[in-house]
Amino acid sequence: MKKGLEIRLYPSKEQRVLIDKTLGCSRFVYNHVLALKKELWEDYKLNFNPNLKSFKEEWPFLTKVPSQALANSYMDCMTAYNNFFNSLKGKSRQQAKFPKFHKKGHKDSFRIAATKTSKGYDIRIEDYEHIKVPKLGLIKFRNYHNMDWSKVHIYNITIKKTPTNKYFASLCCELPEKEYIEPKYESCGFDLGLKDFCIFDSGEVIKNPKYYRKTVYRIKKTQRQLSKCKKFSKNYKKVQLKLAKLHENIKNQRKDFQHKWSHRIVNENQVIVSEDLNVKGMLKNHKLAKSVADASFSTFCNMIAYKANEQHRQYVKIGTFYPSSKLCHCCGFKHKGLKLEERFWTCPECGTYLDRDENAAINILNEGLRILSGNTVGSTGNDKSLKPVDTGLVTNLVQEPVITSSQTACHAGKSPTEDG
Ligand SMILES: [Zn+2]
């Protein structure tokens, strides 16, 4: 199984210098290739591929860093450039933007691929504490993953530096298959929201931790401080670092929260159903934008998708236009005039008192189970936008779609953590 793993690196002083140099040279190569190509295209409509060798002759300092990093940087620029032109010609489905110049301190990284030598691959974990990287030697790292590194084959390594001056490496590697864990429950459906982050069909709720909202005061204060400093002065850099740390902190808290919950949902359920949210559309609404961005639903759904894939679970996404909150889960009545403020409503057909979010979660689950069972009769959603995620293992569903909320077969967690 091919997977990306992130580890924190603790390079020595000399290694730090070399890493910083390589980051700088990679950026230099990328920006120069881009500038050359851009100029020649704009002035002469020439599609010219510069030679990396000539770069090294012109700027000898480029020979002092791992050449593979530069070659990859060169290739990345070419790919970005070609993607843009292919998308103009309509060759690729996605609309690519014209590649941007790389800025110092913004997503700084370089990549080295492993090559086979007489002593095995040149990128390898040496003794559970050190990773061997060509030209850089043994770099100390922290082993959070607690795994048997001897079975891990590394394809390539991407070394990056954060704005807070920390070093990380992403390893693209081949991992042994994970052990299959029996799920506790057959299925679970959930609705994502802003007040409560996640509402399950069982009525259980994960509160939205709103990390950004909690730190926004300190961020704004630091931003004001930064605007008063003289640009690029010593003090400016100090305040800049402080601001970067605040942002990093929020990012880490959010990541941790999402990993914990997605892990739990995937581990406990065989079938997971959620709604495919129109996040881009929601971000356009200025009142909601910050909260939506703070909750970062799409990252959460992506985490569930890849974890489900690893654990052989089934993850189904319901189309954006499925009216999950407007349908009564008991009789299927559609309440067309339901407003966003109405948290509770009574179904005029069968008289059930409904909690808006819980009702939506049950509808989402039922719709997902219906899709999985292959039944398309009585569909109320937009079938074209359905995206069942292939998780490898197909299980036969024995369970009928859930009707009542009190007897649902699913609980995503017993005690929702409310710490922030
Ligand atoms: Zn009803």
Side-chain angles (χ1 to χ4, degrees), residues 327-333 345-352 354:
L327 292 176
C328 164
H329 72 262
C330 290
C331 63
F333 172 78
W345 56 287
T346 311
C347 172
E349 281 285 310
C350 65
T352 322
L354 299 157

Side-chain angles (χ1 to χ4, degrees), residues 185-188 269-273 314 316 369 372 395 397:
Y185 311 105
E186 279 173 33
S187 58
C188 116
N269 298 285
Q270 180 58 45
V271 176
I272 302 141
V273 190
Q314 282 172 304
V316 185
L369 294 175
L372 280 179
T395 40
L397 287 165

Side-chain angles (χ1 to χ4, degrees), residues 323 325-327 333-345 348 356:
S325 42
K326 286 180 184 143
L327 292 176
F333 172 78
K334 192 171 170 186
H335 186 343
K336 279 185 182 151
L338 189 70
K339 284 175 193 147
L340 198 66
E341 315 84 77
E342 287 179 67
R343 309 313 303 175
F344 299 94
W345 56 287
R356 181 199 178 94

